[in-house]
Amino acid sequence: MVSKACIQLPILDISQPLQPCSSSLSSLSEACKELGFFHITNHGISKDLYDKIRLLSEFLFSLPNETKIKLGPFSSIKTYTPHYIASPFFESLRVSGPDFTSSAQSSADVLFDKHYSEFSEILRQYGSAMTELSKKIVKIVLMTLGDDVERKYYDSEYKNCHGYLRIINYSAPKSLEEEVEGLGMHTDMSCLTILYQDEMGGLQVRSNQGHWIDISPCEGTLVVNIGDLLRAWSNEKLRSSEHRVVLKKPLNRFSLAFFWCFENDKVILAPDEVVGEGNSRIYKPFVCSDYLRFRESNEKGKFEKIGFTVRDFAGIRFQM
Ligand SMILES: O=C(O)CCC(=O)C(=O)O
Ligand SMILES: [Fe+2]
């Protein structure tokens, strides 16, 4: 039975140092274990920057399909995911790090006739702010796994992580008689994801009991969720929850999802200390890019296979 509920996620003030034994760390720890979602505040990204990205995105997604399709999925650039791949309502543009400027510029060069440097400059600013935030958040999340985990493993395991951004436009549904899914149930292929959703709401996370829980937008905060790579690395001490987007109003919805991932050739294996004595290992070691390929190996334009997770790929106990 799937029903709906509301929940108050913990809000982490990312501008403040987190004390090892504080109540903030324990509520964060609980959230990462149970739901894999929390909010951050005081992240330093101005409303002005969001307004600019939104305006540029509205312009970009309003271009004719024949123009947008030059960016993918069947062209050489492959930064654009058109409607009907993830869902009839979903389209997105990908901007990849670490050089966000040149990634954005190569898309802009195809879309716009004249050189359009504002587009790449704004995305450079956002990409570098998200990169710094991701590093900070990974350190904090590792602290929830035990006193020494961050100190022992951040440099050796997480130093080469990289990020990419997906700018998403959900078109307005014409009829709202039934629940309209803008993006179907999935887990993220990242270590963690930082999400900005606009004031429309519609993001939902699936609880352990199979209930859909609304993650309501909250001005000035961003949503962080744990992805499959961190779920596997932590031997499931951290949860990467299934989530989806439901469109509730006859309006466009705009979101920005930033995915922070291990480097492609990294072998993901939970350290013994993280698995813990007496616990069995849940995942066999796997190469990061092999998992990404597994998720992207569907027929429809190399977008993510929705509904498959890292358990299906490398789970020891769960493999069929
Ligand atoms: O648009 C959203 O709010 C969520 C997007 C998402 O979950 C994703 O791109 O993985
Ligand atoms: Fe997601």
Side-chain angles (χ1 to χ4, degrees):
M1 221 324 251
V2 175
S3 64
K4 297 201 186 85
C6 264
I7 199 169
Q8 202 64 45
L9 295 183
I11 302 180
L12 174 71
D13 181 345
I14 197 80
S15 68
Q16 300 298 318
L18 205 59
Q19 301 307 328
C21 293
S22 60
S23 63
S24 315
L25 188 63
S26 65
S27 66
L28 187 69
S29 186
E30 188 70 15
C32 291
K33 218 163 52 193
E34 291 302 316
L35 212 55
F37 273 71
F38 58 93
H39 277 123
I40 57 166
T41 188
N42 292 328
H43 45 71
I45 322 283
S46 69
K47 182 162 183 312
D48 184 53
L49 185 57
Y50 280 116
D51 289 346
K52 281 185 180 148
I53 300 176
R54 187 175 188 155
L55 217 63
L56 280 169
S57 308
E58 276 169 10
F59 174 57
L60 187 153
F61 288 116
S62 72
L63 292 169
N65 282 333
E66 310 86 82
T67 307
K68 292 184 285 189
I69 213 85
K70 289 182 194 157
L71 295 178
F74 303 112
S75 70
S76 57
I77 293 193
K78 293 188 176 47
T79 49
Y80 176 64
T81 299
H83 292 119
Y84 291 97
I85 284 188
S87 96
F89 304 95
F90 177 105
E91 60 178 333
S92 73
L93 184 83
R94 179 182 165 131
V95 184
S96 303
D99 188 349
F100 292 94
T101 310
S102 73
S103 175
Q105 195 56 58
S106 59
S107 291
D109 286 346
V110 175
L111 290 179
F112 313 116
D113 288 339
K114 60 181 170 55
H115 187 73
Y116 196 26
S117 56
E118 193 194 358
F119 182 75
S120 48
E121 171 50 24
I122 284 170
L123 291 166
R124 181 200 64 75
Q125 279 179 34
Y126 194 70
S128 70
M130 286 295 122
T131 298
E132 289 318 305
L133 266 182
S134 301
K135 291 178 185 169
K136 230 170 164 175
I137 298 169
V138 167
K139 288 183 181 170
I140 292 172
V141 169
L142 293 182
M143 280 168 73
T144 70
L145 293 174
D147 287 348
D148 262 359
V149 172
E150 184 261 319
R151 195 179 54 76
K152 281 195 185 153
Y153 297 106
Y154 182 80
D155 280 351
S156 55
E157 301 271 331
Y158 291 88
K159 254 283 161 56
N160 298 324
C161 280
H162 64 101
Y164 67 95
L165 174 69
R166 201 184 270 158
I167 307 171
I168 308 171
N169 178 45
Y170 296 90
S171 42
K174 294 209 168 40
S175 153
L176 288 169
E177 273 158 30
E178 285 172 55
E179 200 155 66
V180 177
E181 262 188 5
L183 182 59
M185 180 173 92
H186 67 283
T187 57
D188 288 351
M189 300 189 279
S190 53
C191 287
L192 55 84
T193 304
I194 306 178
L195 181 82
Y196 168 87
Q197 57 166 339
D198 72 6
E199 60 291 341
M200 289 260 296
L203 176 66
Q204 295 184 332
V205 56
R206 196 162 177 263
S207 73
N208 257 326
Q209 295 75 33
H211 299 165
W212 283 113
I213 299 170
D214 284 317
I215 309 269
S216 303
C218 180
E219 178 132 27
T221 69
L222 296 170
V223 178
V224 175
N225 66 279
I226 307 289
D228 281 353
L229 299 179
L230 203 39
R231 170 190 188 166
W233 188 88
S234 69
N235 206 43
E236 299 208 349
K237 295 222 161 68
L238 302 168
R239 190 176 147 93
S240 128
S241 288
E242 283 142 335
H243 52 284
R244 67 174 184 177
V245 174
V246 181
L247 304 174
K248 298 178 173 179
K249 294 179 190 162
L251 297 169
N252 274 66
R253 179 180 186 274
F254 163 72
S255 67
L256 294 171
F258 184 83
F259 302 94
W260 190 243
C261 305
F262 284 127
E263 63 274 28
N264 280 342
D265 58 358
K266 181 173 171 58
V267 176
I268 294 150
L269 177 67
D272 288 340
E273 187 183 340
V274 172
V275 173
E277 238 179 78
N279 295 331
S280 49
R281 200 168 268 289
I282 301 175
Y283 294 89
K284 58 184 182 187
F286 63 95
V287 176
C288 182
S289 59
D290 289 345
Y291 176 51
L292 306 190
R293 253 198 304 276
F294 164 79
R295 282 285 293 267
E296 286 171 351
S297 62
N298 64 348
E299 293 302 306
K300 288 167 107 198
K302 285 199 154 277
F303 194 74
E304 274 182 53
K305 237 186 232 175
I306 300 270
F308 285 82
T309 75
V310 69
R311 271 191 185 183
D312 303 301
F313 179 68
I316 291 175
R317 282 194 267 146
F318 309 98
Q319 228 166 22
M320 305 219 279

